[in-house]
Amino acid sequence: MSTQTLKAPRGTFDILPDSATRREEVERVAREVLEAAGYGRIETPAFEATELFSRTVGEATDIVQKEMYTFPDAGGRSLTLRPEGTAPVCRAYVEHGMHKLPAPVKLYYVSSFFRYERAQAGRYRQFWQVGAEALGSHDPAIDAESIVLAHTLLDRLGARGLRLRLASLGSPAARSEYRVELQTYLRGKSDDLSDEVRRRIELNPLRAFDSDDPGTQRVMAGAPRLLDRLTPEDADHFYEVQALLMQAGVAFEIDPTLVRGLDYYTRTLFEFTSDALGAQSGVGGGGRYDGLVAALGGPPTPGIGWAAGVERILLAADAPPSPPPALDLFVAHDAARSQAFGTLLEARRAGLRAQMETTGRSLKGQLKHAERLGARYVAIVAADGIQLKDHRAATQEPVAFGQLIERLAATP
Ligand code: ATP
Ligand code: MG
């Protein structure tokens, strides 16, 4: 065996206790905000049949073309580590007949996702998302509610410099007519486009709006816009969503160039960015996907949802790591292991946060360690009894075995 030390794979990271506390905070606030709105927790498998993503996310998207971890298992099936959460949630919705539940069915998750991407700050190959999906309602109020919930979550977690961009993709029919119009326009300007955009005119012309190539950007400034091609019903729906967001006091900008890397979106589309982040400024995003459940073999069911990246939220919040909770009792001892262990068990049974010495420090070293742990009390255990030090009161007194908890309960 090679003695070279192994490292976590490129683009992945270990979550150590310091950062685990901040992540738990994200999860706790997500639970509070979303459960109060009727969302129930769902956890789907970390891998799915490859087809689930290729069929729904879209063959021409970056995710499917470049970013999926796809592998055959020993049984010869093609599996893919989930790159996103909406398709798996809709797969589960169909599989468990959730259309029979009273609508809307609201589900949320806090899970890890996998994309083969160029690893950099805020962009990883395994990352976490909080996501929320509401299935079974066309009402613009559920679009607005979904967006407000994402905003509330980001706001409560302290994400700085938030901006919300909003658009509508309309319905599939209007979108495919528009697609043809855009392709004709792009073909007419193909000399001014980047190679990548030119190559993708047939496959995914909308992505041209996302390009950072200056030539392409000049072309796109004059391109026809989907927002001007919405049907009256889609336009009404979009205006209604905007009115409700204004009512909720959530500021937004309409961005006719907003496109997102997934094919299944219809109508409402949105993205939250943070000015506190560098190049990787997207904190979360989502939209309506009225055709997705039917595409997966379920009954026609509208849906809307979003996902926000946990690492990007934490970067945008720039919160200091929270210190571990202070200890109630440190059990110090000098070779009275069994008595010390008994004292530890007694303290734990009484619901105290307690630790005992296990590394053979000198008594002085143990007291120092207890201080480092922020212990309010130290029980110095010997074979014949306990000396109890109260750090807050700066006192020390003898306590008989079996009396410790009573004594602690009696101190203010
Ligand atoms: P980006 O434009 O940054 O690639 P995206 O549009 O691919 O983002 P979504 O698929 O909408 O992202 O995922 C929602 C959120 O998940 C993003 O806003 C971001 O916060 C987070 N996210 C996406 N990809 C990654 C990644 N590779 N590493 C960390 N977070 C990510
Ligand atoms: Mg991406």
Side-chain angles (χ1 to χ4, degrees):
M1 202 175 92
S2 150
T3 54
Q4 208 188 348
T5 54
L6 294 172
K7 292 193 168 156
R10 190 175 175 73
T12 69
F13 51 87
D14 298 308
I15 299 167
L16 303 179
D18 258 5
S19 49
T21 359
R22 296 178 67 202
R23 289 168 166 272
E24 275 158 17
E25 166 87 358
V26 174
E27 187 156 343
R28 187 179 59 73
V29 175
R31 187 165 59 236
E32 269 174 35
V33 170
L34 294 169
E35 288 187 353
Y39 284 76
R41 178 86 180 242
I42 185 168
E43 185 60 53
T44 61
F47 55 83
E48 297 269 359
T50 299
E51 203 191 335
L52 173 64
F53 302 111
S54 53
R55 250 172 52 187
T56 59
V57 172
E59 290 286 1
T61 59
D62 278 355
I63 291 184
V64 171
Q65 291 213 323
K66 312 189 249 196
E67 298 174 0
M68 297 209 302
Y69 280 95
T70 297
F71 57 95
D73 74 0
R77 300 165 196 88
S78 179
L79 298 173
T80 293
L81 297 183
R82 57 182 173 199
E84 60 96 49
T86 304
V89 166
C90 290
R91 195 262 312 132
Y93 178 89
V94 174
E95 186 167 335
H96 301 284
M98 288 192 240
H99 63 278
K100 295 192 210 97
L101 299 173
V105 171
K106 293 172 161 181
L107 300 163
Y108 81 98
Y109 53 81
V110 184
S111 315
S112 66
F113 296 90
F114 307 85
R115 295 184 193 175
Y116 187 77
E117 302 209 61
R118 209 158 64 81
Q120 49 198 298
R123 190 176 292 289
Y124 310 99
R125 293 181 176 175
Q126 179 179 9
F127 57 98
W128 270 254
Q129 287 182 340
V130 179
E133 316 286 353
L135 292 123
S137 170
H138 286 286
D139 196 314
I142 203 135
D143 302 52
E145 180 192 48
S146 176
I147 296 171
V148 169
L149 287 170
H151 181 263
T152 305
L153 175 71
L154 297 173
D155 190 51
R156 278 197 43 191
L157 289 169
R160 297 162 302 158
L162 282 184
R163 279 172 202 274
L164 168 60
R165 292 186 300 145
L166 192 67
S168 173
L169 290 178
S171 42
R175 187 161 149 199
S176 45
E177 263 175 50
Y178 165 77
R179 203 167 172 271
V180 174
E181 182 185 354
L182 181 63
Q183 282 169 330
T184 311
Y185 174 82
L186 290 175
R187 277 188 220 109
K189 310 262 177 195
S190 78
D191 289 350
D192 301 326
L193 299 173
S194 73
D195 290 345
E196 159 131 33
V197 169
R198 194 180 315 114
R199 250 185 289 117
R200 302 229 276 171
I201 293 180
E202 306 311 317
L203 215 53
N204 196 351
L206 264 83
R207 276 311 272 224
F209 284 110
D210 241 3
S211 168
D212 42 26
D213 168 66
T216 305
Q217 284 178 346
R218 270 193 300 278
V219 172
M220 296 325 285
R225 294 182 160 178
L226 181 50
L227 269 187
D228 302 323
R229 301 289 185 273
L230 298 184
T231 64
E233 296 76 36
D234 291 340
D236 280 352
H237 191 275
F238 188 43
Y239 289 134
E240 195 58 39
V241 173
Q242 293 172 49
L244 293 169
L245 284 176
M246 286 183 218
Q247 185 183 338
V250 172
F252 59 87
E253 298 155 43
I254 306 255
D255 182 354
T257 70
L258 180 61
V259 287
R260 297 181 37 77
L262 305 141
D263 270 4
Y264 50 62
Y265 285 122
T266 51
R267 290 191 160 177
T268 311
L269 192 70
F270 57 95
E271 183 161 71
F272 285 94
T273 54
S274 163
D275 294 340
L277 300 178
Q280 284 16 278
S281 66
V283 182
R288 191 168 261 291
Y289 44 83
D290 292 343
L292 184 52
V293 170
L296 292 171
T301 308
I304 176 148
W306 48 264
V310 171
E311 294 76 27
R312 300 222 190 139
I313 296 175
L314 293 174
L315 285 170
D318 193 28
S322 30
L327 203 61
D328 297 314
L329 177 72
F330 186 78
V331 182
H333 67 99
D334 202 1
R337 177 186 296 115
S338 158
Q339 291 87 337
F341 193 62
T343 306
L344 176 75
L345 294 177
E346 197 184 336
R348 292 263 175 82
R349 273 196 295 272
L352 298 181
R353 295 173 182 276
Q355 292 183 34
M356 82 176 254
E357 173 61 25
T358 53
T359 61
R361 289 183 184 88
S362 68
L363 202 54
K364 190 164 159 240
Q366 295 183 45
L367 295 178
K368 213 169 137 198
H369 185 55
E371 203 177 317
R372 198 161 42 212
L373 295 172
R376 158 111 196 243
Y377 297 100
V378 182
I380 304 165
V381 177
D384 57 351
I386 298 172
Q387 284 290 324
L388 181 64
K389 272 171 87 88
D390 179 341
H391 271 293
R392 199 181 301 161
T395 55
Q396 176 165 340
E397 52 180 354
V399 181
F401 287 126
Q403 306 276 291
L404 180 69
I405 301 306
E406 223 170 285
R407 180 66 61 85
L408 291 180
T411 42

